[in-house]
Amino acid sequence: MNPKASPERPVSIVELGVAEAYDLLVNRFGVQDLPPLEAIENEDWGRDSLLSRFLELSPPDLAAAGLTWDEAPSDHPALDEPT
């Protein structure tokens, strides 16, 4: 799991990479009907497909794994914000 995860700061699911999302789905949540990682890791649709599978999981299960759908606050201002 992402080393940035902690009980105080869950990791946003949208921050997960393909390999990390795949590992969590298979090893933490027991999802078994995914294509092999090698088949999806370099495909444009692969990450979106994996992340969409987290929608099938309950919020308490996600929270227990240190995950959230909330986007993490950025340390940097948005591009359209004045600095």
Side-chain angles (χ1 to χ4, degrees):
M1 175 102 137
N2 190 326
K4 294 184 230 175
S6 69
E8 298 81 32
R9 184 182 179 274
V11 172
S12 175
I13 291 167
V14 298
E15 291 180 4
L16 297 174
V18 172
E20 190 172 25
Y22 192 94
D23 181 63
L24 283 165
L25 287 167
V26 171
N27 296 314
R28 171 74 188 221
F29 297 109
V31 176
Q32 297 179 2
D33 61 344
L34 297 174
L37 177 60
E38 298 78 24
I40 59 174
E41 66 184 338
N42 293 318
E43 298 294 332
D44 291 339
W45 55 267
R47 182 173 180 271
D48 292 340
S49 175
L50 286 177
L51 296 185
S52 72
R53 297 299 298 268
F54 286 95
L55 292 169
E56 300 168 9
L57 304 171
S58 72
D61 287 342
L62 293 173
L67 299 170
T68 181
W69 277 109
D70 295 335
E71 293 195 35
S74 175
D75 294 337
H76 305 285
L79 294 176
D80 59 351
E81 288 182 17
T83 53

